[in-house]
Amino acid sequence: MAIALEKYQDILDELGEHAGEVMRASWGEAARVFSARGLEAYLHGATGLKSLGRGTDLVVSFVQSAPAVARELGEDAVSDLLAAAIRMYSKTSATVISLIFSSSPIAASRLGDPELFRAYLHLIDTLLAQAPRGVRPMLDHLGTLLGQLTLGGLRRWALWGAQAHKTDFDAQTRYFGLESPESLGVLQKERKGTLFIDVQRRIGMYLRALWGRDFFMRPTSGDFEQREGYRPYIEGYLIHLPDAYDDLESPSGRTDGVELYRAACAHAAAHQMYTKEPLSAEALTPLQMMAIGVVEDARVEQMAIHSFPGLAPLWRKLHHATPDQNASVSDYLNRIARALLDPDYADPDPLIAKARSLFAGQVNRLSSNQLAWDIGVTLAHDLMQMQLPFVHTEVLSALYRDDNRYLWDFKEESDFAQGGAPWQDKQVRKHVSVMEFANEVEVETAGDDAQEIWVLSSELFPYEDLGKSYNELEGKEPPPQPHPYPEWDYQMQLERPAWCTVLEKRPKQGEVKVVDEIVVKHKPIIGRLRHLIEAMQPQGVQRLRKQEDGDEIDLNAAVHAMVEMRMGEQPDPRIMIRNVRKVRDLSVLLLIDLSESTNDPLPDSDNTVLQLAREATVLLADALDKIGDPFAIHGFDSNGRHDVEYFRFKDFDMPHNDLTKSRLAGMHGQLSTRMGAAMRHAGSILKRQPSHKKLLLLITDGEPADNDVRDPQYLRFDAKKAVEELTRTGITTYCLSLDPRADQYVSRIFGARNYMVMDHVQRLPEKLPLLYMGLTR
């Protein structure tokens, strides 16, 4: 939840009247793009600039520009911007720093990557030392410059002017203001053909049209000192592409920058679609790795071409190897790459023919990248026998292909990556006896992230009869057992494995009299429910008369039928009795949203949403206990994807007694609502019930949200995916929403008939038991 600006009236007073008004005007946009932590940093950054004593304009420009930078690059980029401004504080005037702030949204939108934005801030810092008079006119024309130059081109253009006019301040001003002929000449020389930022949206739509999913792409810049950019590469879920491509002249014709981007991103996307498992790089030489990479590129391209034949001419025109290129290992690999892609390419060399033959003979194994391993190792052995020059840093000539780091699994990198969440793979939870636990030396500095945690099946009490366990005496909860769950990313149309961690926490206890007071308060409702409850209780075996088929003959009906036959009338054929066993084979789990918003008071009432949810839960639990249906009552909140707190107030095997009531009395609202992870965990508990029918009933007062997610659609789609997964396992989900605006999203998550929106929340205690009985009748 976004923090309220009114809570920081002291900061607004400190900023002054003008800056405070600008902060109020910018707060709505800031609240949409910053997390709660980011909003506090945003406020403190503004007060920090105010304390410098350099005027109000500096603060105003930061307040207005920071949300736009965060929207483009994330809130960490705002921290980088603020830190850079503090470093430049002693080098230039407040006017220039204000201009840096006000132009930063342009730089953020044109560069499109946090790393490039940091490099841009470093360039400004360098220019303040080498050409201080040129920074202001350059920032005035920043949109024009970044509309034609990459970051590397901007750096070369700026440093050329700084060196050429080191002592001539007027010439500096004209050069950086694009007023001198040499400035325009260097600008034209450094100008690139097609900038990534100009075609990013078009390329993203192109990939989505091919594979029906989104791919994340980011620009990279490697041309600070040379005209060549980095090769494309894939890291994690991101495709990194050069920030610009020049038009390419080749024997097959001219290829413009947009076509190069299409070829590069389609090839990288093919890797993400068809390279399912990484290959181990252990015991492989650089030559073997390069040969395997060439075959793997051909494999994923063949699979893509099989689905989209139009990709073949796009890629083939970018391969220019010829049979006369045979001076090095790289020449042969370039020829193999072209031969495996282009059936019309003629090459008489025996090695090229062997590569084609091996690849064609294994066409039925295209779905596995083990094919690339087998063929690549064979070709590398033959190349080694030829004793040609080989430099492992050489780059193959196909400009659009990535560096294949996505293909390899380096063990040391995998271990490092796992270090971020130690409980997932490294932490060991060892269940020990009381004597083992008591005899072990205590490690006082160990925390919940220790590599090994010893667990007792029950609480440990001191020798002195104090009536409290060690955990209670120290005020520390036992470390919860983590439960990792996947999460659905709707933009990539992929499931992020083990992305969320549900931690089962011990619920706090309150006063039992709170629950007893609820029962007394709603005694009229309980009285109205009594007849419904009696009707829903199992009746054992019932004898249904007047059946055409059944278990035994109804003698009275049979005699009556014989009388009708003797009288010449048509007899009633329903002369059987059927014995029916009435049993309610149903388990229900009530899942309660315990986010911070449940503490909000209701309009025209002193009650909060949480109090009404507690009252409704108490009435439903009382009804279920009388009906006899197995039921559980759980709750959840979240503080990011690695801390989804889950509370079990009552489990299926627990009686509805004072312990359950005290836990319900101790319910409290806090943090956020990561609904998908909580529903998956609730489903994993519910599906272990032996009942034929299973119902997950969710009570929430708002849409799915969390403090580490800015896209409002992300967690909605994940919750929808969780509902679909539960439905496939035979669990019915139903949502009772207390949000009057929930119709906009709740039907998409739970389905048109599996939700109800409470327009009058005050009636929740009465409606919830009736709703349950209507669902399970």
Side-chain angles (χ1 to χ4, degrees):
M1 293 182 63
I3 58 178
L5 183 58
E6 289 73 16
K7 296 180 180 179
Y8 294 87
Q9 186 61 45
D10 54 336
I11 291 180
L12 295 176
D13 295 339
E14 185 179 348
L15 292 177
E17 182 178 355
H18 179 47
E21 287 299 323
V22 175
M23 176 65 77
R24 289 188 182 92
S26 304
W27 189 253
E29 176 66 17
R32 282 192 291 270
V33 298
F34 284 107
S35 65
R37 178 181 61 86
L39 283 172
E40 292 191 356
Y42 174 55
L43 288 168
H44 292 304
T47 56
L49 292 172
K50 179 67 175 179
S51 66
L52 296 178
R54 301 290 289 271
T56 306
D57 291 344
L58 185 66
V59 181
V60 169
S61 60
F62 170 75
V63 169
Q64 292 177 326
S65 304
V69 174
R71 184 176 61 251
E72 296 289 342
L73 303 177
E75 60 188 36
D76 290 340
V78 177
S79 301
D80 296 332
L81 175 63
L82 195 58
I86 299 300
R87 287 197 307 269
M88 302 173 196
Y89 167 72
S90 60
K91 298 180 182 180
T92 187
S93 65
T95 304
V96 173
I97 296 180
S98 298
L99 194 55
I100 292 172
F101 284 141
S102 59
S103 61
S104 59
I106 298 174
S109 63
R110 294 301 303 177
L111 296 175
D113 181 73
E115 291 293 333
L116 297 184
F117 186 70
R118 279 192 284 271
Y120 160 76
L121 295 174
H122 180 70
L123 171 61
I124 300 297
D125 197 11
T126 302
L127 286 179
L128 285 174
Q130 298 187 15
R133 298 287 182 90
V135 173
R136 184 170 180 175
M138 186 188 80
L139 293 175
D140 288 334
H141 296 83
L142 188 63
T144 302
L145 291 169
L146 289 180
Q148 303 180 48
L149 301 177
T150 64
L151 178 61
L154 177 67
R155 184 176 188 270
R156 285 191 300 274
W157 174 84
L159 293 183
W160 191 97
Q163 292 296 323
H165 307 293
K166 186 178 298 185
T167 57
D168 190 343
F169 295 145
D170 291 337
Q172 265 186 33
T173 303
R174 291 195 302 273
Y175 180 89
F176 285 94
L178 298 178
E179 298 175 357
S180 62
E182 62 268 24
S183 173
L184 298 175
V186 177
L187 177 64
Q188 186 63 32
K189 178 183 177 183
E190 297 296 338
R191 185 174 180 176
K192 285 279 188 174
T194 302
L195 300 184
F196 173 77
I197 199 68
D198 292 330
V199 299
Q200 181 176 8
R201 180 176 175 82
R202 198 186 320 173
I203 296 301
M205 294 173 66
Y206 172 71
L207 292 182
R208 186 168 184 82
L210 291 178
W211 279 287
R213 50 159 285 196
D214 288 329
F215 294 84
F216 290 140
M217 296 176 288
R218 278 189 178 177
T220 61
S221 180
D223 56 352
F224 280 174
E225 302 297 342
Q226 54 186 349
R227 290 303 295 264
E228 296 84 10
Y230 286 147
R231 291 186 69 188
Y233 67 92
I234 309 169
E235 201 164 61
Y237 292 101
L238 294 175
I239 299 174
H240 296 262
L241 298 166
D243 54 2
Y245 269 131
D246 282 325
D247 294 347
L248 180 66
E249 296 287 352
S250 65
S252 57
R254 181 184 180 86
T255 305
D256 61 26
V258 177
E259 283 191 286
L260 283 172
Y261 273 120
R262 286 200 188 110
C265 70
H267 177 81
H271 271 305
Q272 288 193 328
M273 294 299 297
Y274 305 125
T275 303
K276 300 298 185 182
E277 297 290 338
L279 294 175
S280 174
E282 291 189 49
L284 290 178
T285 65
L287 174 57
Q288 289 173 325
M289 292 176 65
M290 187 174 286
I292 292 171
V294 168
V295 181
E296 175 65 8
D297 287 338
R299 184 188 73 85
V300 298
E301 287 184 356
Q302 283 297 326
M303 294 186 70
I305 289 170
H306 180 74
S307 300
F308 313 107
L311 291 174
L314 176 65
W315 284 329
R316 287 170 188 168
K317 66 186 297 187
L318 297 174
H319 286 265
H320 313 124
T322 56
D324 59 343
Q325 296 175 351
N326 55 10
S328 67
V329 169
S330 297
D331 289 339
Y332 271 93
L333 290 176
N334 284 323
R335 290 162 63 185
I336 291 172
R338 182 176 182 183
L340 296 182
L341 177 65
D342 187 357
D344 298 329
Y345 169 62
D347 196 316
D349 193 284
L351 181 61
I352 308 301
K354 181 177 181 179
R356 274 178 162 164
S357 175
L358 289 173
F359 193 78
Q362 300 289 335
V363 70
N364 58 333
R365 295 178 57 202
L366 279 180
S367 60
S368 171
N369 58 2
Q370 188 62 38
L371 163 72
W373 176 286
D374 297 339
I375 298 178
V377 170
T378 302
L379 296 178
H381 178 268
D382 292 345
L383 285 169
M384 196 180 304
Q385 300 300 318
M386 299 171 69
Q387 297 184 346
L388 294 170
F390 174 67
V391 179
H392 71 275
T393 56
E394 288 188 42
V395 178
L396 300 183
S397 62
L399 190 64
Y400 71 93
R401 285 187 172 178
D402 62 280
D403 62 4
N404 275 333
R405 70 179 68 178
Y406 185 75
L407 173 62
W408 302 108
D409 177 23
F410 298 96
K411 187 176 185 302
E412 60 274 12
E413 291 184 4
S414 299
D415 291 343
F416 176 78
Q418 293 172 359
W423 56 77
Q424 289 184 2
D425 296 301
K426 292 186 176 181
Q427 191 180 76
V428 177
R429 298 175 71 87
K430 184 177 179 181
H431 294 266
V432 297
S433 66
V434 175
M435 293 309 299
E436 286 179 298
F437 194 91
N439 292 331
E440 180 62 26
V441 177
E442 182 182 0
V443 182
E444 296 181 356
T445 58
D448 292 348
D449 58 347
Q451 290 187 3
E452 184 172 289
I453 292 180
W454 283 22
V455 181
L456 286 178
S457 58
S458 62
E459 290 277 15
L460 182 65
F461 291 83
Y463 292 109
E464 303 84 1
D465 188 11
L466 302 178
K468 292 185 177 181
S469 67
Y470 279 113
N471 283 327
E472 292 173 322
L473 290 172
E474 297 178 6
K476 183 178 180 181
E477 291 290 330
Q481 174 72 39
H483 301 273
Y485 288 97
E487 191 167 81
W488 179 255
D489 191 319
Y490 78 99
Q491 291 183 323
M492 294 188 297
Q493 294 294 297
L494 285 176
E495 199 173 60
R496 298 175 181 265
W499 189 251
C500 297
T501 305
V502 176
L503 303 174
E504 289 194 0
K505 301 289 184 71
R506 178 181 299 171
K508 296 181 179 179
Q509 297 186 24
E511 298 290 336
V512 178
K513 66 178 183 180
V514 173
V515 176
D516 294 336
E517 290 172 358
I518 292 173
V519 175
V520 173
K521 175 182 176 182
H522 294 284
K523 193 171 183 180
I525 297 177
I526 295 175
R528 291 199 300 270
L529 292 174
R530 181 165 53 86
H531 298 293
L532 291 174
I533 292 173
E534 290 175 355
M536 296 183 69
Q537 288 177 334
Q539 301 298 319
V541 178
Q542 288 187 343
R543 294 165 60 88
L544 302 180
R545 298 179 181 273
K546 288 188 171 293
Q547 305 293 315
E548 291 190 8
D549 296 316
D551 303 313
E552 57 183 295
I553 296 176
D554 186 345
L555 292 178
N556 292 333
V559 169
H560 186 69
M562 289 297 298
V563 170
E564 290 176 336
M565 291 175 63
R566 293 286 180 92
M567 295 175 65
E569 298 177 0
Q570 180 69 30
D572 188 347
R574 297 175 297 171
I575 61 171
M576 302 297 291
I577 296 176
R578 183 182 302 158
N579 298 319
V580 179
R581 188 167 176 259
K582 292 289 186 179
V583 178
R584 288 178 60 84
D585 190 12
L586 169 73
S587 295
V588 60
L589 191 152
L590 180 63
L591 185 61
I592 308 171
D593 172 13
L594 299 176
S595 59
E596 178 66 30
S597 58
T598 59
N599 295 323
D600 297 339
L602 296 168
D604 303 326
S605 174
D606 296 333
N607 290 334
T608 65
V609 174
L610 182 63
Q611 288 174 326
L612 287 180
R614 181 187 292 114
E615 292 178 7
T617 302
V618 169
L619 296 184
L620 179 62
D622 185 73
L624 290 174
D625 190 48
K626 292 177 181 177
I627 295 172
D629 290 343
F631 70 100
I633 304 173
H634 297 170
F636 73 97
D637 58 55
S638 64
N639 186 24
R641 65 186 180 93
H642 282 313
D643 188 10
V644 181
E645 297 182 331
Y646 196 90
F647 303 95
R648 294 193 183 199
F649 302 108
K650 180 193 177 302
D651 279 322
F652 288 104
D653 55 354
M654 289 178 56
H656 183 49
N657 53 18
D658 287 348
L659 175 60
T660 302
K661 294 177 181 179
S662 66
R663 290 177 176 178
L664 291 177
M667 281 197 312
H668 62 282
Q670 61 181 5
L671 305 173
S672 302
T673 314
R674 207 173 196 104
M675 193 178 291
M679 286 196 296
R680 288 185 178 93
H681 189 61
S684 69
I685 298 170
L686 187 55
K687 70 182 180 183
R688 292 197 291 267
Q689 284 297 108
S691 303
H692 178 67
K693 296 181 181 179
K694 304 177 181 68
L695 172 64
L696 176 60
L697 184 57
L698 174 68
I699 301 178
T700 179
D701 70 326
E703 62 181 317
D706 210 341
N707 55 23
D708 59 349
V709 177
R710 298 188 185 91
D711 184 355
Q713 298 293 334
Y714 178 83
L715 290 179
R716 293 182 188 178
F717 277 94
D718 175 61
K720 181 177 184 294
K721 192 71 174 180
V723 170
E724 293 171 355
E725 294 168 2
L726 294 174
T727 303
R728 285 196 295 269
T729 61
I731 297 174
T732 302
T733 56
Y734 194 93
C735 177
L736 180 59
S737 178
L738 310 180
D739 180 7
R741 299 178 300 276
D743 296 278
Q744 302 173 4
Y745 58 85
V746 71
S747 62
R748 297 179 190 150
I749 296 176
F750 293 92
R753 299 183 178 181
N754 293 328
Y755 76 96
M756 184 173 75
V757 178
M758 289 287 296
D759 295 325
H760 302 286
V761 182
Q762 291 82 354
R763 300 188 62 188
L764 175 64
E766 176 186 353
K767 287 290 185 181
L768 181 59
L770 294 174
L771 170 66
Y772 172 77
M773 294 174 188
L775 288 173
T776 60
R777 186 176 296 276

